Amino acid sequence: MVQSTASFTSESLAALKQRYAEAGQGHVFKGFDELDDKTAGEFFGQLSGIEVERVTGFFKNATAAHGQEGGDKIEPLEAGSFASALDSAQADERAQWRAEGMRLIGANKVAVILLAGGQGSRLGSSEPKGCYDIGLPSQSSLFAIQAHRIRRLQQLSGNTATIPWLVMTSGPTSAATQATFAQADYFGLREEDVFFFNQGVLPCFDFDGHILLEQAGRVAVAPNGNGGVYEALRVSGALDWLRERGVEHVHSYCVDNCLVRVADPEFVGYAALRGAECGALVVPKKAWDEPVGVICLRNSRYGVVEYSEISSEMAQLTRDGSGELAYNAGNICNHYYTLDFLQHRVPELEAKFEHHVAKKKIKHVDVESGDLVIPTKPNGIKLERFVFDVFPHVERMAVLEVARNDQFSPLKNAPGSGVDCPETARRDLLAQCVRFAEAAGATIQGAESEPAFEISPLVSYGGEGLESLRGKTLVGDQFITDIESVQTV
């Protein structure tokens, strides 16, 4: 919610004060006259850049709607409404999807959006989460793994393809992310094929809807959620950049999934052949009570229902005759779009997107006393949009179920927590490498004891290119960077 900044004059300051007063936010100017010139100028610039009428409206609408979802009609996806890569009967179709995806990649029609605004705070790191090393033999960061998968796909296309990579950062991660890419020489990609853009922010509010100040002369702000990607793509010029390059299809994913198949040709091909304008990958839930959002139907439209929104009875419902959970399409924030949809349809829809209420502990300055308030319990509200807020407005949706152990291992929690943490991510990626080699006909020494067996994404994207390993017994603890120099027993 940013607009161009007016010049700092007594007239423009008076006009700005009036706007904020009319929006019920005049309190932010208390103590303004006591600020030094530099701070006052910066504060004026920040306040001028906030569309105060709109963000105040966002707060009112979001808080009015908060907790009212109970009237929605929620239904599971119909059994035949989506395809499953887990169904062996669809092997031929999967080959067709992959072939179509590779054709589009080879024609330079596919780009990738990486949602990378998060820091590694929960992991004990102040760096961007994409810089995190999950403990692989290669010591590769998440950024490096994903970049190397892009490079491998470009190679598989005959080195004729370029897959543009759009990286969404946030205020705290932007400079560090760009520095990391530069220091790594863009992980072997061309600098001109990487486009950085920033996630937007929104002011933080108290429970009564008043904008909070983090310090005298500074509004407290927070990222506007991963759903802010749509506006950020547009205002940054990223969509125009893709259009100029001839891109037509876009794959989007979150940085914290070490198993993500970047620019996934099977998923892209599947969605493209179905004529979809938007698509989503899903994985089966581990159990009925797994705390994960589920793609389903809300009021007969596609949507995501958070685990807290459905009862235990609903969560345990099964499909007739199969025993499979009815609400089983676990959302993994892995999406497909056409560029036409992002550039032409989404701008018309954004006004319909909801803002969601997140009650948080927000450190701020009391404008009356000037005291710093450090809360011990939630005292304010951050507003955010989710990337899946677009789903109810999609006319042609493509949902594809995939194997969790092949495509989803999130990094959410601190080391040692045992769930969605560095150790589980490492385990899942190395186990996948073992499966790739075994599927090619190799035997891995000590496979049952989870060896540190890693195959570089530059050698194999999804298990291809390993045919020469057939019949060989491979040393368990090794990092394969060249198929010709594999260590055998």
Side-chain angles (χ1 to χ4, degrees):
M1 299 303 101
V2 176
Q3 58 186 16
S4 58
T5 303
S7 58
F8 186 16
T9 64
S10 57
E11 292 80 7
S12 60
L13 177 60
L16 189 63
K17 286 183 175 180
Q18 182 176 348
R19 280 183 53 215
Y20 272 74
E22 291 174 353
Q25 304 291 357
H27 64 281
V28 300
F29 284 98
K30 288 186 178 180
F32 186 91
D33 294 339
E34 300 171 13
L35 300 174
D36 61 64
D37 290 347
K38 182 176 183 296
T39 303
E42 292 173 349
F43 191 30
F44 174 84
Q46 185 190 30
L47 293 173
S48 297
I50 296 171
E51 296 180 82
V52 64
E53 300 85 0
R54 291 188 69 196
V55 298
T56 302
F58 291 163
F59 177 88
K60 292 177 179 178
N61 293 337
T63 52
H66 185 57
Q68 301 300 312
E69 296 87 352
D72 291 344
K73 180 182 179 182
I74 297 174
E75 301 172 286
L77 297 179
E78 296 180 6
S81 66
F82 60 94
S84 176
L86 307 181
D87 184 355
S88 58
Q90 291 193 313
D92 290 343
E93 287 88 345
R94 290 183 64 189
Q96 293 173 9
W97 303 337
R98 178 176 173 80
E100 175 63 7
M102 289 304 299
R103 184 190 71 80
L104 293 170
I105 288 170
N108 295 316
K109 299 297 182 184
V110 179
V112 173
I113 298 171
L114 166 58
L115 307 181
Q119 291 177 287
S121 304
R122 291 186 187 177
L123 307 171
S125 170
S126 60
E127 293 186 311
K129 189 179 282 189
C131 296
Y132 198 81
D133 170 10
I134 59 175
L136 297 173
S138 64
Q139 299 182 320
S140 295
S141 67
L142 294 171
F143 283 144
I145 294 167
Q146 294 158 19
H148 291 169
R149 287 179 182 148
I150 292 175
R151 287 175 58 189
R152 176 62 177 169
L153 275 185
Q154 292 179 160
Q155 182 186 51
L156 289 172
S157 73
N159 286 319
T160 60
T162 296
I163 301 173
W165 200 14
L166 295 89
V167 182
M168 185 176 81
T169 59
S170 63
T173 66
S174 178
T177 298
Q178 294 188 55
T180 296
F181 272 66
Q183 290 164 7
D185 197 20
Y186 290 80
F187 306 101
L189 296 169
R190 297 188 306 176
E191 180 180 355
E192 58 266 32
D193 296 331
V194 181
F195 188 106
F196 296 100
F197 65 107
N198 250 9
Q199 180 178 6
V201 297
L202 286 171
C204 301
F205 297 84
D206 67 15
F207 290 140
D208 294 322
H210 299 121
I211 290 175
L212 295 173
L213 302 185
E214 68 175 33
Q215 62 187 47
R218 188 74 187 168
V219 171
V221 298
N224 60 1
N226 58 20
V229 65
Y230 301 114
E231 181 180 35
L233 282 167
R234 187 175 66 256
V235 301
S236 68
L239 298 179
D240 292 332
W241 184 72
L242 291 180
R243 181 69 65 185
E244 292 170 0
R245 298 174 70 110
V247 167
E248 297 176 0
H249 307 268
V250 180
H251 177 224
S252 173
Y253 68 96
C254 287
V255 71
D256 60 6
N257 178 11
C258 70
L259 295 184
V260 63
R261 298 201 174 182
V262 186
D264 185 352
E266 189 169 309
F267 179 33
V268 170
Y270 166 73
L273 288 172
R274 288 183 69 122
E277 57 187 6
C278 182
L281 286 188
V282 298
V283 297
K285 294 178 67 174
K286 292 179 180 178
W288 69 266
D289 57 350
E290 180 184 6
V292 63
V294 174
I295 295 182
C296 61
L297 299 179
R298 189 194 290 270
N299 299 326
S300 301
R301 307 289 295 182
Y302 283 100
V304 173
V305 174
E306 296 299 339
Y307 66 93
S308 58
E309 292 184 68
I310 58 177
S311 65
S312 296
E313 291 75 19
M314 289 179 66
Q316 294 180 71
L317 287 175
T318 58
R319 297 191 186 277
D320 293 339
S322 70
E324 177 189 348
L325 292 173
Y327 293 93
N328 200 39
N331 177 45
I332 61 174
C333 198
N334 192 315
H335 302 139
Y336 160 93
Y337 310 93
T338 64
L339 183 59
D340 281 344
F341 178 71
L342 290 174
Q343 194 164 35
H344 301 308
R345 285 259 289 129
V346 170
E348 300 172 356
L349 299 172
E350 278 186 286
K352 301 178 183 179
F353 293 173
E354 302 173 354
H355 279 87
H356 305 270
V357 170
K359 296 182 179 180
K360 300 288 186 178
K361 292 183 286 187
I362 303 173
K363 185 168 64 174
H364 68 282
V365 168
D366 184 316
V367 295
E368 297 294 341
S369 66
D371 295 336
L372 179 64
V373 177
I374 303 177
T376 58
K377 60 182 181 180
N379 66 324
I381 287 175
K382 296 180 180 180
L383 298 177
E384 56 188 0
R385 282 174 169 168
F386 299 146
V387 70
F388 54 73
D389 288 337
V390 73
F391 287 1
H393 310 286
V394 173
E395 298 299 331
R396 300 182 306 281
M397 186 79 175
V399 177
L400 178 62
E401 181 184 55
V402 295
R404 180 190 291 257
N405 67 347
D406 267 338
Q407 299 221 37
F408 186 56
S409 182
L411 181 60
K412 303 289 187 184
N413 301 318
S417 59
V419 179
D420 296 344
C421 62
E423 293 86 359
T424 57
R426 177 185 187 274
R427 178 202 67 200
D428 292 345
L429 193 148
L430 296 180
Q432 183 184 64
C433 292
V434 169
R435 290 196 303 274
F436 284 167
E438 290 179 338
T443 299
I444 311 302
Q445 185 182 48
E448 68 285 349
S449 60
E450 299 183 357
F453 181 81
E454 182 182 2
I455 301 173
S456 169
L458 294 171
V459 172
S460 184
Y461 174 89
E464 82 295 329
L466 305 178
E467 295 78 12
S468 64
L469 302 182
R470 178 173 298 278
K472 297 180 179 179
T473 298
L474 310 183
V475 172
D477 293 338
Q478 64 173 305
F479 172 42
I480 299 176
T481 58
D482 181 354
I483 200 66
E484 301 300 326
S485 58
V486 174
Q487 300 174 46
T488 59
V489 177

